[in-house]
Amino acid sequence: MPDDRGYKWKEGAARIREARARVGLTQREVSEFLGVSAHTVWCWEAGKTKPSNEHLVELASRCEVSTDWLLGRESVEEEVLEEAEVSFRNAVANLPREDIEEIKNFIDFVREQRRRKG
């Protein structure tokens, strides 16, 4: 991204590194699928430069996080919720529709029980 004078990219840099590591990608693999040099990815993770919006979107998608999370705009609660959502999607991805409906019914049941308790 061109000139980002005064922009603090340290948190985003750490989040890029964390997201990449979570899904088991190396800096070189990230550079290859984004079409940038490995040095560019290193600069992002070192907080020297900030990725373009297009690169952030692709990176977020590949690492199963949101661009807001990469930019440090989500709270811890939102982070946990997003991780649960990704885990849930992965868990039900290949299940038959009937099983997914049963899981949704169970979630509704748990919510109702919690509501009744308190």
Side-chain angles (χ1 to χ4, degrees), residues 62-115:
R62 212 34 119 65
C63 294
E64 301 176 338
V65 297
S66 70
T67 52
D68 279 346
W69 185 83
L70 283 178
L71 293 169
R73 294 180 181 152
E74 287 187 357
S75 69
V76 172
E77 187 174 309
E78 289 169 327
E79 219 175 287
V80 170
L81 184 59
E82 183 172 315
E83 287 174 12
E85 182 181 334
V86 168
S87 294
F88 182 77
R89 284 177 189 240
N90 290 337
V92 301
N94 297 314
L95 292 178
R97 182 153 188 84
E98 303 84 44
D99 290 352
I100 294 171
E101 287 299 321
E102 216 169 301
I103 292 168
K104 286 170 37 180
N105 290 338
F106 178 72
I107 291 169
D108 291 341
F109 170 78
V110 170
R111 282 183 181 150
E112 181 62 22
Q113 293 299 313
R114 187 167 293 280
R115 186 187 65 75

Side-chain angles (χ1 to χ4, degrees), residues 1 3 8 13 15 17 30-31 36 40-41 56 58 67 69 72-73 75 79 92 105:
M1 185 169 263
D3 198 356
K8 299 289 184 192
R15 287 182 177 223
R17 188 171 37 256
V30 170
S31 73
V36 299
T40 297
V41 176
L56 278 172
E58 181 63 26
T67 52
W69 185 83
R73 294 180 181 152
S75 69
E79 219 175 287
V92 301
N105 290 338

Side-chain angles (χ1 to χ4, degrees), residues 7 13 42 46 50 52 54 61 64 72 74 84 86 96 101 107:
Y7 183 80
W42 178 88
K50 181 180 170 195
S52 69
E54 293 80 17
S61 175
E64 301 176 338
E74 287 187 357
V86 168
E101 287 299 321
I107 291 169

